[in-house]
Amino acid sequence: MAADSASSDLDSARRARLADALVRTGHGDRSAFEAVYRATSAKLFGVCLRIFPDRNEAEEALQDAYLTIWNKAASFESGRASPISWLVAVTRNRAIDRLRARGKAGMTSLDEAAEIADPAPLADAQLLASGENHVLHGCIEALERRDANFIRSAFIGGATYADLAAREGEPLGTVKSRIRRALIKLRGCMEGAS
Amino acid sequence: MTILSEEDIALAGEYVLGLLDAAGDASATARIATDAMFAAEVEAWRVRLAPMLSGDANVPAHIWGNIQNALPEQTGQDVGSGKLLFWRSLTGISVSAAAILGILLLQKPDAAAPPAPEVPLIAALGSETGEASLTASYEAGTGRMIVTPVSLDTGELYPELWIIPADGTPHSLGIVASDKATTMTVPLESRQYMGSGGTLAITPELQTGGPGGKPTGPVIASGKITTL
């Protein structure tokens, strides 16, 4: 506990600062918005690059995401969600909307998605993330290959149930119950590992 | 303390993965606003799945300038202006509420010149399987309610709408149409239940409604009433 306290204090201080800046952004404070941008743009650019491997498209998606964040910041409730997971969710959803608008969502099988070449990762952030990464990837690999693929196709490729059912030539209900079972299994695996 | 069912845990995961259709998504969004335990599970799924999106990358310097240029002109009255804050918060409301507001505006021919509107109560009714979903909006002042099916199929039977207050006793609000919006006036004796926190639910019943004013069919869609 004592050994960890310094770094966890730092984390919670950083988180509180970010939450505060996000709330002030919701009040129309542009300097707070810039602080949010400085603290999170590398991470959110990483999210965009996962969804749009093309750098130009990812840059456009990132700009779009921050404009959405500016517009939606007033709906951020600091008691309910951590600022970073809220920001990642807004960015991911906005990028997927763009993907869908271009008719590109859910079209490709994303077996290789996990292996997408890392876009110039920053070394220390990568190290920090690797622990959680390891658990999630281990638990996804423990699923049936097809279920793992469904989950990636949805989260990174924007596939909906309807897309997956059409792609697999299976009834919607079958695909739904497969994925729901896989989600329960995934959660059980991750809870067990932590 | 109650715990979340496996169905709800999976639903939270489906929501974060973006698998739900628009109606299912709207109903889950409405639930996040009203059900803290469900909201916590959604957050837990976001944290669980986040590593799939992780990997920081260096952002080109010109991006921030582009974003700044795209921001709306500064009006000088942004910060602290109560009215503006209200509208800003409206732009941030959930998809469901925005969609319902859209439906409301479409349905009201006199909405072109909006008077100081009373704040309507809304509900997004859905099911875990996403097969049935509806939206409802209610004006307490007039008792007028508009129930709009997004997808609703009760086969040979008819969808009966119920209001269920905190004590859990359903009160019938009558049969609604499954293929078009139903505008109704909530009976005076039922208006006391139509507050924020009550639940609206649909069960399939005979055309004459559940016998003795009680539901007999399973709940195929439900949602909490909330303030827009």
Side-chain angles (χ1 to χ4, degrees):
Chain A
M1 187 86 189
D4 284 342
S5 70
S7 82
S8 82
D9 281 355
L10 196 67
D11 277 354
S12 58
R14 196 176 289 156
R15 181 186 150 140
R17 245 196 337 266
L18 182 57
D20 177 60
L22 197 50
V23 168
R24 284 190 290 124
T25 302
H27 294 188
D29 180 337
R30 287 174 191 236
S31 67
F33 181 52
E34 181 164 3
V36 170
Y37 179 85
R38 299 284 167 221
T40 59
S41 56
K43 185 175 187 71
L44 298 189
F45 192 37
V47 172
C48 293
L49 279 162
R50 288 277 177 210
I51 294 164
F52 287 103
D54 178 279
R55 247 192 127 76
N56 287 331
E57 285 185 298
E59 287 178 13
E60 283 171 25
L62 183 68
Q63 292 173 32
D64 194 9
Y66 274 101
L67 293 174
T68 309
I69 289 163
W70 168 259
N71 285 323
K72 290 184 79 164
S75 72
F76 168 71
E77 292 178 69
S78 55
R80 288 214 160 198
S82 87
I84 197 66
S85 70
W86 188 88
L87 290 161
V88 168
V90 169
T91 303
R92 181 262 170 206
N93 293 346
R94 191 71 196 112
I96 295 292
D97 283 347
R98 288 177 73 89
L99 200 64
R100 286 180 179 158
R102 292 166 185 218
K104 285 187 184 172
M107 300 312 289
T108 47
S109 166
L110 276 181
D111 252 354
E112 319 76 38
E115 281 82 51
I116 286 174
D118 247 5
L122 303 179
D124 55 341
Q126 200 69 356
L127 274 175
L128 276 176
S130 66
E132 299 145 24
N133 237 324
H134 188 68
V135 173
L136 176 69
H137 287 301
C139 288
I140 284 188
E141 291 313 314
L143 298 173
E144 276 186 45
R145 191 177 169 78
R146 216 153 72 96
D147 293 340
N149 176 257
F150 284 164
I151 287 174
R152 291 193 190 105
S153 298
F155 199 47
I156 304 170
T160 61
Y161 275 135
D163 294 328
L164 294 173
R167 200 176 81 192
E168 299 292 308
E170 278 188 14
L172 200 62
T174 311
V175 173
K176 275 188 192 179
S177 45
R178 272 196 83 102
I179 294 181
R180 293 169 66 89
R181 269 198 309 275
L183 284 171
I184 295 298
K185 208 171 144 190
L186 178 62
R187 181 182 190 263
C189 174
M190 293 187 73
E191 303 282 291
S194 64
Chain B
M1 181 169 150
T2 49
I3 56 162
L4 220 50
S5 68
E6 277 202 346
E7 285 73 31
D8 284 342
I9 289 167
L11 176 67
E14 289 170 301
Y15 173 78
V16 172
L17 284 175
L19 282 162
L20 302 170
D21 60 15
D25 196 74
S27 115
T29 308
R31 183 136 172 225
I32 290 167
T34 53
D35 181 344
M37 208 178 295
F38 183 72
E41 185 61 30
V42 167
E43 173 73 5
W45 272 112
R46 284 182 177 154
V47 172
R48 265 176 220 131
L49 295 173
M52 242 196 279
L53 296 171
S54 72
D56 293 16
N58 290 309
V59 186
H62 66 270
I63 301 281
W64 173 242
N66 291 354
I67 292 169
Q68 273 186 309
N69 291 339
L71 290 179
E73 291 289 312
Q74 232 160 342
T75 57
Q77 50 151 9
D78 281 16
V79 183
S81 158
K83 186 159 187 182
L84 196 69
L85 277 179
F86 172 72
W87 285 108
R88 284 184 58 83
S89 71
L90 266 188
T91 63
I93 56 175
S94 63
V95 178
S96 62
I100 293 164
L101 183 65
I103 291 165
L104 266 177
L105 293 176
L106 284 176
Q107 283 171 346
K108 287 170 83 177
D110 54 342
E118 106 175 270
V119 178
L121 292 166
I122 56 163
L125 285 69
S127 62
E128 274 125 28
T129 55
E131 269 139 32
S133 62
L134 308 88
T135 60
S137 65
Y138 174 71
E139 296 166 341
T142 57
R144 195 167 91 115
M145 180 154 68
I146 301 168
V147 182
T148 309
V150 179
S151 69
L152 181 62
D153 183 2
T154 46
E156 304 276 294
L157 297 169
Y158 294 81
E160 183 163 7
L161 180 66
W162 306 87
I163 171 68
I164 308 169
D167 72 359
T169 313
H171 303 267
S172 176
L173 296 172
I175 304 285
V176 296
S178 56
D179 55 350
K180 60 180 195 306
T182 301
T183 303
M184 61 169 77
T185 303
V186 173
L188 280 173
E189 66 271 19
S190 296
R191 290 188 194 173
Q192 57 181 309
Y193 308 126
M194 297 292 299
S196 191
T199 298
L200 288 170
I202 294 277
T203 64
E205 303 291 346
L206 297 172
Q207 195 171 9
T208 50
K214 293 200 172 78
T216 57
V219 172
I220 56 168
S222 66
K224 288 212 166 185
I225 299 175
T226 181
T227 313
L228 183 65

